[in-house]
Amino acid sequence: MAVVIWATQASLAVSLRNLPPFLLTGLTLIIGGSISLPKIRSWTISWRAIGVGVYGIFVYHFFYFLALRNAPPVEANLVHYLWPALIVVLTPVFSSQKRLRSNHIVGAACGLVGAAVAALHGVSISNARFEIGYVFAIVAAFVWASYSLLLGTLKSYSAWTTGGVCIISGILSLICHYALEGQVQISNHDWILIVCQGLGPMGMAFYLWDFGMRHGDTRILGVLAYTIPVLSTVVLSIVTGREITVSIAIATSLVILGGILGLMSRSDPRHAPIAEL
């Protein structure tokens, strides 16, 4: 469910590119965090939870939005989807019980090559604006991968705690907006898109992903996440009116191949009962 919701993230972000990144991040995070207010008694607030949450949610989205603004959105979006490969590769670092096999390494390499094909397509090396956009995308990928794996160390926390972290991160984003960005007018159409992004990609998707990363096999979830660039790239191409070129098709195929290779290993048996959200 989180994967399907996130397929619309890039398109919404590009449609709202007229808004400063801090402002957009702040508004959507507060809306997304408000979903959990009816479950406020289930929040598990601690400095560790807040630190991990702000690192993953606030820092990640800031760099992600910057990437979409400073590079061709289709290519930058695909480069950013290195995070599933990073989740697979970094899993043994966060869990000694899950070993890294050769197929994981090959799968991650395919994802890296696919991202490189996307990044170099139609981009001049001398164009610093495009280069920095891809750097932002790679940083966002690492932040989200490491954050997702850190969630596995917070198994006793309720997924609804993510709502509190979203609100805190949203407030921090708005403070940065008023301190660093210029004021803009938000149209009624923009507000509709902001609410949609807040309720979906910046809301329920977080709670679902939080639950999955804490109670599922991160290697398998990382592989499942490879379906996001396919869906996201198609939706983004439709919204931007851009054709899916041969280079983008090859890049996407390599990313998918990396995911398939990552799945070609025996998973650890899991017999624990399903936990409550």
Side-chain angles (χ1 to χ4, degrees), residues 68 71-81 114-115 117-123 134 137 233 236 242 245 247-248:
L68 293 177
V74 172
E75 287 89 337
N77 187 54
L78 191 56
V79 171
H80 142 268
Y81 278 117
V117 171
L120 296 176
H121 170 65
V123 175
Y134 293 123
T233 300
L236 187 57
R242 179 177 175 182
T245 64
S247 296
I248 294 300

Side-chain angles (χ1 to χ4, degrees), residues 22 25 29 53-62 169 172-173 176:
F22 276 123
T25 304
L29 283 177
V54 171
Y55 164 72
I57 294 176
F58 170 66
V59 176
Y60 160 73
H61 281 97
F62 175 65
S169 299
L172 291 175
S173 297
C176 291

Side-chain angles (χ1 to χ4, degrees), residues 164-183:
V165 174
C166 285
I167 293 175
I168 294 173
S169 299
I171 293 173
L172 291 175
S173 297
L174 292 181
I175 291 174
C176 291
H177 162 66
Y178 287 112
L180 304 173
E181 297 173 338
Q183 301 301 307

Side-chain angles (χ1 to χ4, degrees), residues 81-91 100 104 107-112 145 222-223 225-226 255 258-259:
Y81 278 117
L82 278 173
W83 63 259
L86 292 175
I87 286 179
V88 175
V89 172
L90 294 176
T91 288
L100 183 64
H104 296 140
C110 286
L112 181 62
V223 171
Y226 277 101
V255 172

